[in-house]
Each structure stands twice: as structure tokens, then as C-alpha cells.
Amino acid sequence: MAIFDMGAETLGNLNKQTDASHQDLGALVRRFVDAVTPLEGKFSGAGKAAFDSFKNRSDLVASELNTALAGIVQGQSGMNTAFTQGDLTASDNARRSEGAANFDAARFQGRA
């Protein structure tokens, strides 16, 4: 039987890190385009067409990457909510069961 053990803060921390990466990714794509701009005009033929196509689509690429990562952030947030609620429910159920248990009946005493 496999045991899955995760700290209460794990998904929340992962969500924060992914959100930060999500914010940075679009900026990185734009920085990359800025970095290759000096190459503009150095290509001809199919290379020029591919370069121009990439440069023209860079905003779309950055936007689509941000949208995809935003979906991941949303999914992680949902998992964190479900995990937290499940943890609280398990704790509440254990307390209720403990409150309803008859511990006196489980005492073993020898009869004299």
C-alpha cells in the first residue's frame, strides 16, 4: 500500500511559485524577442520568413503561455482548496467518532 504524505503548505507554496513563474514567462518571451531584434534584416528567403513570423507571433506566444500557466495556477489553487477541506473533514470526522466512542467499555479489568 502506498502512502502519500504531503505537508499542509505544499500546494499553497507550489501555487505561489507557479504564479510567480506565470508572471515572468511572458516577460521572458518579450525579452527574447528584444534580444534577437538586432538580427532582423540579416536573413533572406525562408529564414527571413521564419524570423518575421516568429517576431510577429511573439505576443501571441507570450499570451498563450501566460494563459496556459494561469490555468495551471487555477488548477493548483483548486487542488489546494480540496486538500485543505479534505484534511479538515477528516479531522472533524475523527473528533466526532472519538466523542461517540465508549472508552469505558474497552477497559479490561480482572474479576476477583
Side-chain angles (χ1 to χ4, degrees):
M1 174 168 151
I3 295 176
F4 181 71
D5 186 16
M6 177 172 58
E9 300 299 317
T10 302
L11 283 173
N13 291 337
L14 178 63
N15 192 276
K16 288 176 194 169
Q17 291 170 353
T18 304
D19 189 43
S21 296
H22 154 253
Q23 310 264 334
D24 294 342
L25 191 58
L28 288 173
V29 169
R30 288 182 185 91
R31 283 180 50 201
F32 177 70
V33 170
D34 290 343
V36 299
T37 297
L39 296 175
E40 195 167 15
K42 306 241 180 203
F43 298 104
S44 61
K48 180 180 180 352
F51 182 85
D52 291 345
S53 175
F54 167 74
K55 191 162 183 207
N56 291 334
R57 293 181 331 120
S58 64
D59 285 337
L60 177 63
V61 168
S63 176
E64 287 178 356
L65 286 171
N66 281 343
T67 299
L69 277 175
I72 291 170
V73 168
Q74 184 178 5
Q76 287 174 336
S77 179
M79 286 188 296
N80 188 38
T81 299
F83 181 80
T84 302
Q85 288 175 346
D87 191 35
L88 290 173
T89 300
S91 176
D92 290 345
N93 288 341
R95 272 192 230 104
R96 270 195 301 278
S97 295
E98 182 181 27
N102 182 358
F103 291 104
D104 289 332
R107 291 190 182 171
F108 299 104
Q109 295 177 348
R111 299 210 187 252

